[in-house]
């Protein structure tokens, strides 16, 4: 291979499609023919993909197939709920299944690689990218990572339905300063290793084909140039041997970071750190020849990167079958079944935050129901951030979903206000609708574009005039004793304590995807009992952020009788809704916690059993969480650490037992030297419905040396 051909394999550029044929941003199909572009992003559709693939395979000197990549983040054409919402399922099988369905659908469009899963632990809802990830907990993030990688990649990466997974954004992108996207990160190595690495380690163990470094810097070193984290930790400690693909233009941005003077230096920093593919910076093609001349990089490094890229193409089956992805059209029955799955997953991702006097589920066929608010009939918003395919208009709105689920009910609709505008003139019409209805469904929240990349917010209340609308509707409804059910759409936990106090029910809907309205109607009507549990705490006030369950005790834990303790003067320390909170239409009581053995050594397993009784009048699913607390250790440990979860479905009056089994090695932590240790001593085992300590059953056991 010539140097230009090698650098082509290390280059990924964006492609679009014009009426006249495929076009490549700032480039041309001539580059594919010349072998100087090896990878493309953002082009999909079997015909288009095959057209360019044919040029690469048949008209370039070496005939190396192109790799087509796309952000298939929460579905492709069929949209599943956003990743944060899917995390709320606490169901690894469902996580894997939606990923494999998304992979099949995108592969049928010619795609071979997805820039997913996004595995950034987020404890800061101001950060818009919280929407893309698994929430606040590293152990949960690791479970999501494994399931998603397995789902996207399937048992055989060379299969026509499989996509290469890209674990991103490595690593510690979540704690950006003040929740502002792309801002600097400066956290301890312990925090990196305990909180931010575990999901990536799990992705690597599950065989993730590729990893993408984060845009951000960690204590001054941009991840795109972070030798220690990419080479020593990712490739060395974690044993990752796949491809490292830069984020969009990230190599050129090393100049903006202030660590590279020009493109050749930026390219050298990235290559030296181990980045194989340059996405959109043109830094490798334009810069590396100069870096070589300057002696900043060696030819062998380029060869190693090319080898990794070609190995990935081979593993994907691209050399043997360059046109297999997209060769067969998916059958209508397959698409219909996928749509059904999207409905099921969406319904299960909804988190019922509050349900006073059991206003939900709705009574059978209410006479008249008013659906009020700017998100009631907002089809495009249901897609959430990161929907890459054009809007096909098939998303089901809440209004449409309720009308089809309740054919005998008169369903009124008033938007009232815009999602984010100053106009309050529609509020009067909303109040008039309240007078006619037996029940109000208030659809509030963010626009899809208010979360995701470059979408941080400093205020986490409802945007625009929505609070004024909601207050007017609630006041009018209260006078008539009409119940109000609020449905919140958002890419993050919002800060709406005033709403949670006043609405009779609050359902966090996140962005549910294509089947939004049907899924919401399934839950409101009682066809499905809600079972989502929030993967991130909902704060009472923005000033509490970050508020998460795995905090350390500190030397002066909060004590309301003692002024000099760690607390606020104006709000409680606890979030409004803790991690794991979520109601169902059942009513569960946990009892009889059994933990064995009472003395546990590192080679054994911890076995935990707890009885669950459904005292409610409806069949429902309960998720039970297992936490530990290492009471006394050489390093102060978090008050709660998640180590397991399991779900059980029970009929009214039915009792069952949930069993959780945890290898004792999971009870190790990083000692004073940041190496895993299993320290003898007491450890609390806590089991219950959320990370709210008041509702956890607890027992203490002893960790002992294996002897
Ligand atoms: C995002 C990545 C994404 C890439 C390609 C970037 O701006 O940070 O998450 O995969 O664009 O679309």
């Amino acid at each position: 291979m010539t140097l230009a051909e090698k650098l082509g394999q290390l280059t990924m550029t964006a492609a679009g499609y014009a009426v006249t044929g495929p076009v490549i941003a700032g480039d041309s199909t001539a580059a594919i023919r010349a072998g100087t572009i090896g990878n493309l992003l953002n082009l999909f559709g079997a015909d288009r993909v095959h057209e360019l693939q044919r040029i690469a395979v048949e008209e370039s000197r070496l005939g190396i197939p192109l790799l087509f990549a796309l952000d298939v983040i929460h579905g492709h054409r069929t949209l599943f709920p956003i990743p944060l919402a899917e995390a709320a399922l606490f169901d690894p099988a469902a996580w894997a299944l939606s990923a494999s369905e998304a992979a099949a659908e995108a592969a049928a469009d010619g795609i071979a690689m997805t820039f997913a899963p996004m595995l950034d632990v987020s404890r800061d809802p101001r950060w818009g990218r919280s929407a893309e990830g698994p929430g606040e907990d590293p152990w949960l993030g690791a479970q999501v990572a494994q399931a998603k990688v397995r789902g996207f990649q399937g048992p055989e990466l060379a299969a026509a339905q499989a996509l290469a997974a890209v674990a991103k954004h490595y690593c510690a992108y979540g704690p950006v300063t003040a929740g502002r996207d792309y801002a600097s990160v400066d956290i301890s190595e312990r925090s990196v290793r305990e909180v931010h690495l575990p999901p990536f380690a799990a992705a690597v163990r599950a065989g993730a084909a590729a990893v993408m470094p984060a845009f951000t810097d960690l204590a001054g070193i941009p991840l795109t140039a972070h030798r220690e984290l990419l080479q020593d930790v990712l490739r060395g400690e974690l044993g990752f041997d796949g491809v490292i693909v830069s984020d969009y233009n990230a190599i050129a941005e090393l100049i903006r970071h202030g660590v590279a003077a020009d493109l050749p230096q930026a390219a050298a920093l990235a290559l030296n750190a181990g980045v194989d593919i340059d996405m959109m910076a043109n830094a490798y093609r334009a810069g590396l020849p100069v870096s070589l001349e300057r002696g900043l990089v060696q030819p062998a490094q380029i060869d190693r990167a090319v080898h990794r890229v070609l190995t990935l193409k081979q593993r994907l089956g691209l050399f043997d079958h360059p046109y297999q992805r997209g060769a067969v059209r998916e059958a209508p029955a397959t698409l219909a079944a996928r749509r059904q799955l999207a409905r099921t997953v969406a319904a299960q991702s909804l988190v019922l935050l509050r349900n006073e006097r059991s206003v939900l589920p709705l009574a059978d066929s209410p006479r008249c129901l008013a659906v009020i608010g700017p998100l009631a009939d907002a089809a495009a918003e249901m897609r959430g951030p990161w929907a890459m395919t054009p809007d096909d208009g098939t998303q089901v709105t809440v209004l449409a979903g309720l009308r089809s689920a309740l054919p005998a009910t008169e369903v009124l609709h008033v938007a009232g206000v815009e999602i984010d505008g100053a106009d309050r003139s529609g509020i009067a019409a909303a109040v008039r609708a309240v007078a006619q209805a037996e029940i109000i469904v208030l659809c509030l929240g963010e626009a899809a574009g208010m979360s995701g990349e470059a979408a941080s917010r400093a205020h986490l209340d409802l945007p625009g005039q929505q609070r004024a609308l909601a207050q007017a509707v609630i006041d009018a409804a209260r006078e008539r004793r009409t119940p109000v059910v609020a449905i919140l759409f958002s890419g993050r936990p919002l800060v709406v304590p005033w709403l949670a106090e006043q609405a009779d029910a609050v359902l966090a809907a996140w962005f549910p995807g294509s089947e939004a309205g049907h899924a919401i109607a399934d839950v409101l009507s009682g066809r499905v009992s809600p079972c989502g549990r929030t993967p991130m705490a909902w704060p009472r006030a923005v000033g509490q952020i970050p508020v998460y369950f795995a905090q350390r005790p500190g030397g002066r834990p909060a004590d309301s009788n003692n002024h000099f303790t760690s607390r606020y003067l104006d709000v409680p320390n606890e979030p409004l809704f803790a991690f794991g909170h979520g109601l169902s239409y059942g009513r569960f009581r946990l009892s009889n916690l059994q933990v064995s053995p009472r003395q546990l050594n590192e080679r054994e397993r911890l076995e935990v059993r707890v009885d669950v009784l459904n005292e409610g009048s409806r069949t429902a699913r309960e998720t039970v969480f297992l936490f530990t607390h290492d009471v006394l250790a050489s390093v102060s440990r978090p008050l709660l650490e998640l180590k397991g979860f399991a779900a059980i479905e029970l009929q009214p009056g039915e009792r069952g037992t949930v069993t959780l089994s945890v290898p004792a090695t999971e009870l190790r932590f990083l000692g004073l030297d940041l190496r895993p240790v299993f320290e003898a001593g007491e450890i609390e085992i806590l089991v219950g419905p959320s990370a709210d300590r008041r509702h956890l059953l607890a027992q203490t056991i002893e960790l002992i040396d294996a002897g």
Side-chain angles (χ1 to χ4, degrees), residues 41-42 71 73 115 129 132 168-169 173 182 212 215 247-248 279 386 388 453:
L41 79 152
N42 292 355
D71 291 275
I73 306 294
F115 302 121
R129 304 203 83 166
E132 299 174 47
K168 73 183 188 185
H169 308 85
Y173 185 4
Y182 314 127
M212 181 191 291
F215 279 130
D247 205 345
Y248 202 102
M279 185 204 292
W386 274 131
M388 295 294 283
E453 186 174 351

Side-chain angles (χ1 to χ4, degrees), residues 221-587:
I221 306 173
L223 268 303
T224 305
H226 210 300
R227 275 175 104 131
E228 190 191 335
L229 274 170
L230 294 178
Q231 296 284 8
D232 306 348
V233 178
L234 180 62
R235 293 222 186 270
E237 287 177 36
L238 304 183
F240 176 67
D241 64 356
V243 165
I244 299 181
V245 51
S246 88
D247 205 345
Y248 202 102
N249 196 39
I251 301 181
E253 288 167 21
L254 293 174
I255 300 172
R256 282 294 184 78
H257 274 284
V259 298
D262 55 14
L263 216 49
Q265 198 188 350
L269 280 174
L271 189 71
N272 286 330
V275 176
D276 301 307
I277 296 182
D278 164 9
M279 185 204 292
M280 289 308 286
N282 208 30
Y284 279 4
R285 281 196 306 178
L288 282 181
V290 184
S291 326
L292 277 167
E293 275 168 28
R294 290 190 198 159
L296 299 175
V297 295
Q298 300 306 313
Q301 290 174 274
I302 294 176
D303 290 351
R304 277 199 292 276
V306 171
H307 186 258
R308 280 195 284 263
V309 172
L310 296 182
T311 304
L312 174 59
K313 291 187 175 185
Q314 189 180 35
R315 287 184 61 208
L316 279 163
L318 289 170
F319 285 101
D320 296 330
H321 307 288
Y323 309 106
Q324 68 165 351
R325 290 184 180 78
V328 182
R329 266 206 160 174
E330 293 194 287
T334 307
L335 297 174
R338 186 172 299 139
R339 197 72 199 203
Q340 190 54 47
L341 176 69
R343 178 172 180 163
T344 306
V345 172
Q348 293 178 344
S349 74
L350 305 174
V351 179
L352 185 59
L353 296 171
R354 173 178 159 99
N355 191 17
E356 285 304 290
R357 290 169 276 107
S358 300
V359 287
L360 288 179
L362 302 174
D364 289 342
S365 298
R367 181 188 48 78
C368 177
L369 181 149
V371 188
I372 296 174
L375 281 133
D377 196 26
E381 307 301 340
M382 300 298 106
R383 289 156 53 87
W386 274 131
M388 295 294 283
T389 49
D391 187 354
D392 63 1
T394 64
Q395 303 81 237
V396 183
T397 67
V398 180
L399 182 63
L402 283 172
R403 284 196 168 141
S404 95
L406 305 170
T409 300
E410 183 188 0
V411 180
L412 307 175
H413 168 235
V414 185
V417 297
E418 290 170 353
I419 294 177
D420 191 15
D423 186 3
R424 294 181 176 212
S425 60
I427 294 180
V431 169
R432 282 197 297 278
V434 172
Q436 298 174 49
E438 269 166 43
I439 184 146
I440 313 300
V441 177
L442 201 44
C443 299
L444 307 166
E446 302 181 314
M450 290 179 181
S451 64
E453 186 174 351
S456 293
R457 294 180 67 209
H459 298 287
L460 297 181
D461 206 328
L462 298 174
Q465 299 304 316
Q466 293 188 63
R467 182 167 179 173
L469 168 73
Q471 197 59 62
V473 167
I474 289 171
D475 290 345
R478 191 176 288 147
E479 266 177 34
R480 316 180 71 88
R481 296 178 183 272
T482 306
V484 175
V485 174
I487 301 179
L488 287 176
F489 294 88
S490 64
R492 51 164 68 83
L494 296 172
V495 178
V496 285
W498 60 271
L499 181 68
E501 261 165 38
Q502 299 185 71
D504 299 285
V506 179
L507 185 71
W510 319 103
F511 289 107
S514 303
E515 286 289 311
H518 286 146
I520 289 168
D522 285 343
V523 162
L524 295 194
S525 67
R527 210 179 73 82
V528 173
S529 173
C531 60
R533 314 296 277 261
T534 186
M536 254 179 116
W538 287 59
R540 292 170 196 273
V542 169
Q544 287 182 310
I545 295 170
V547 56
Y548 54 96
F549 71 82
Q551 302 199 8
R552 293 195 167 81
R556 293 185 173 192
D559 174 356
S560 52
N561 297 319
N562 187 345
H563 181 70
F564 293 99
T565 57
S566 178
R567 59 204 174 97
Y568 299 100
L569 295 178
D570 48 359
V571 285
N573 284 4
E574 291 73 32
L576 189 60
F577 300 113
F579 173 95
H581 174 74
L583 306 171
S584 70
Y585 295 154
R587 208 176 60 242

Side-chain angles (χ1 to χ4, degrees), residues 587-602:
R587 208 176 60 242
F588 295 99
R589 182 193 294 277
L590 271 58
S591 63
N592 193 24
L593 174 64
Q594 296 173 48
V595 181
S596 68
R598 311 296 305 185
Q599 292 192 320
L600 180 74
N601 77 47
E602 198 174 356

